[in-house]
Amino acid sequence: YINVSTSTSATTASAVGGNLNKGTATATIVSGRYYYVAIGTDELHAVNFSADGKTVISDVVLVTHLTAPDNFIMNFGDMAVDTDQNTIYLAFTVSGIKYFSKYVI
């Protein structure tokens, strides 16, 4: 489990917002929602916080296998977001082969 920290400014201490279901291989925040790919999987998760951002309300799997039908295990990657298109882009390498995927959020 990974603690999700929240902070209102760079000068204030972070507070633990809660625990995620799994560790993260890559992550990003879009419109107050935390998206991550669980380490050792190819699952895309979405985390919702309370209105004050201090409590994890839910951690749900949006996509079970981003790399289907191959179902690769991700241990590290990169994630970018196009908010105009509501799309998350993922790039990662498995056994020296580069992969790219996208998911509309």
Side-chain angles (χ1 to χ4, degrees):
Y1 295 92
I2 301 295
N3 287 331
V4 178
S5 297
T6 60
S7 177
T8 55
S9 77
T11 60
T12 60
S14 295
V16 175
N19 292 320
L20 301 178
N21 290 333
K22 298 183 179 184
T24 60
T26 186
T28 193
I29 294 177
V30 181
S31 302
R33 195 179 226 192
Y34 181 75
Y35 293 91
Y36 73 97
V37 175
I39 198 164
T41 74
D42 64 344
E43 297 172 346
L44 177 63
H45 289 244
V47 177
N48 291 301
F49 294 96
S50 59
D52 63 6
K54 295 181 180 179
T55 306
V56 172
I57 301 297
S58 64
D59 179 351
V60 297
V61 177
L62 293 181
V63 181
T64 305
H65 295 292
L66 288 167
T67 60
D70 301 309
N71 303 331
F72 292 119
I73 293 174
M74 288 182 66
N75 291 310
F76 179 77
D78 195 16
M79 184 182 290
V81 178
D82 179 344
T83 54
D84 291 336
Q85 299 295 317
N86 293 323
T87 302
I88 292 177
Y89 296 93
L90 295 158
F92 54 97
T93 303
V94 177
S95 300
I97 301 171
K98 295 176 178 146
Y99 293 91
F100 178 80
S101 64
K102 71 177 186 175
Y103 180 72
V104 177
I105 54 175

